[in-house]
Amino acid sequence: MSIANAWRMSGDIYDSFSRPDALCACDTNNPADPFCIAPGTHCSVLFILNKVAPFADRSIPGGWSDLDMLEVGQGGMTDEEYKAHFALWAALKSPLMLGNDLRIMSPQTLSIVNNPAIIALSQDPHGRSATRVARNTSVPKDEYDIGETHIWSGKLENGDQVVILLNAANEDVEMSASLKEIFTPSGPGGSAPQVKESWEVFDLWADRMSDANAQAILDAEDQASRSEVLKKLNWYNASEVSYKEGLEKGDERLFGKKVGVVEPRGQWDVLVERHSAKVYRFRQVNGEAGDHDEL
């Protein structure tokens, strides 16, 4: 970051979740190879995630890895794939640059890219990327012999933790994320103090905007009328209140919906659909999570 505030770290993305392509150099070898000098094009979402995983922790305030533009709404992926794509780009602090044609945006696309609980991960003042704490390749493969699952985890400014369970296998998978794994960056082998605490789990996609409400925003004639629609819907408007301020005030619209609790030394178990991600914000039950100093 002594040179730039952001750096492209892979070849050009294309509108595919996991399909390998010869134009994406190094794709058939090791995507984490730091000596790949011909990054190419036609790189999938999964390829880029595997490429950045070994140095995701280099994204810190003042400099971030740019995972390339968002493909949400282009038409080549499913709704669940686009949700996973958007959430991981936000949690890894990649610049969120829309790549779709805004003139013909669908309500489904808008309801993904305007989810304030997900954008709050990107705009969190702590400014550090989530990192991959677990990867499993012993899962069902597709016709390209591609299939794996990931767990990504990262600290947020107020002591909360973002936890993403990504299923890039070829079928639905029961996944588990233990506190021991989630807080590995703070202490391996279950030595992190957070492992001994209870955590409330909040689903960051639970309050996704309905298609009807998203269409109402798209149908608004100008910015003023859009603001009125947002106000009527009580939807978070960052033009009026920044994410930094909203997080400091504890605005509930940025924190998702509570779906459970993980007890000390426990784990979170959930069925994750094929090519999708479950995205959570873990919040310490006694509200003292911010006392820990881990990165």
Side-chain angles (χ1 to χ4, degrees):
M1 71 179 193
S2 63
I3 299 174
N5 295 114
W7 45 84
R8 279 285 304 280
M9 43 58 60
S10 75
D12 294 341
I13 193 172
Y14 82 140
D15 192 17
S16 173
F17 186 73
S18 61
R19 180 186 178 276
D21 194 297
L23 292 176
C24 183
C26 306
D27 201 3
T28 56
N29 299 307
N30 177 13
D33 180 5
F35 298 106
C36 174
I37 59 174
T41 62
H42 285 199
C43 296
S44 69
V45 167
L46 183 61
F47 173 85
I48 292 174
L49 290 172
N50 283 332
K51 181 75 174 175
V52 78
F55 55 90
D57 62 340
R58 297 298 188 267
S59 290
I60 62 176
W64 294 272
S65 292
D66 177 359
L67 280 60
D68 206 2
M69 66 167 49
L70 293 161
E71 297 293 326
V72 182
Q74 297 279 47
M77 292 187 245
T78 67
D79 187 74
E80 288 297 326
E81 289 171 342
Y82 281 138
K83 286 167 57 183
H85 172 29
F86 185 66
L88 280 155
W89 261 231
L92 271 71
K93 304 300 188 287
S94 175
L96 300 180
M97 298 179 289
L98 299 179
N100 60 302
D101 188 337
L102 303 184
R103 299 167 299 177
I104 55 172
M105 181 182 287
S106 70
Q108 294 84 5
T109 296
L110 181 61
S111 68
I112 292 175
V113 300
N114 82 341
N115 182 335
I118 298 295
I119 299 174
L121 301 177
S122 166
Q123 298 301 300
D124 189 82
H126 189 56
R128 292 180 180 268
S129 170
T131 59
R132 189 170 66 192
V133 296
R135 182 191 187 198
N136 180 14
T137 58
S138 298
V139 294
K141 305 294 194 292
D142 61 18
E143 67 268 34
Y144 305 109
D145 198 34
I146 299 294
E148 56 192 82
T149 62
H150 300 175
I151 299 174
W152 294 79
S153 177
K155 182 187 175 183
L156 301 171
E157 175 72 11
N158 64 349
D160 291 354
Q161 195 81 2
V162 56
V163 179
I164 301 179
L165 286 75
L166 173 69
N167 176 13
N170 199 38
E171 62 183 45
D172 300 352
V173 174
E174 290 279 357
M175 294 184 65
S176 297
S178 67
L179 295 182
K180 177 181 176 181
E181 284 187 318
I182 290 169
F183 292 106
T184 292
S186 300
S191 62
Q194 298 94 323
V195 175
K196 302 174 185 178
E197 298 158 357
S198 297
W199 295 82
E200 295 178 325
V201 181
F202 292 77
D203 184 346
L204 300 189
W205 282 112
D207 295 324
R208 179 181 178 182
M209 178 179 280
S210 70
D211 288 352
N213 288 340
Q215 189 63 58
I217 294 173
L218 292 170
D219 290 341
E221 295 181 356
D222 52 37
Q223 185 59 43
S225 55
R226 288 192 189 94
S227 295
E228 284 301 314
V229 173
L230 290 170
K231 185 176 181 180
K232 184 180 297 185
L233 296 174
N234 191 34
W235 201 253
Y236 196 81
N237 187 349
S239 297
E240 297 179 350
V241 181
S242 70
Y243 279 95
K244 182 178 186 296
E245 184 180 353
L247 289 166
E248 289 174 348
K249 292 181 176 179
D251 192 308
E252 292 183 356
R253 294 171 293 182
L254 304 183
F255 292 89
K257 179 180 179 180
K258 183 179 176 181
V259 291
V261 175
V262 177
E263 299 298 338
R265 304 187 187 281
Q267 65 183 34
W268 183 254
D269 302 312
V270 65
L271 177 68
V272 185
E273 297 177 356
R274 176 188 181 276
H275 285 199
S276 71
K278 297 293 186 181
V279 186
Y280 301 107
R281 181 184 278 261
F282 278 42
R283 312 202 71 192
Q284 191 175 329
V285 171
N286 63 17
E288 299 178 355
D291 292 342
H292 302 298
D293 295 325
E294 81 288 348
L295 298 182

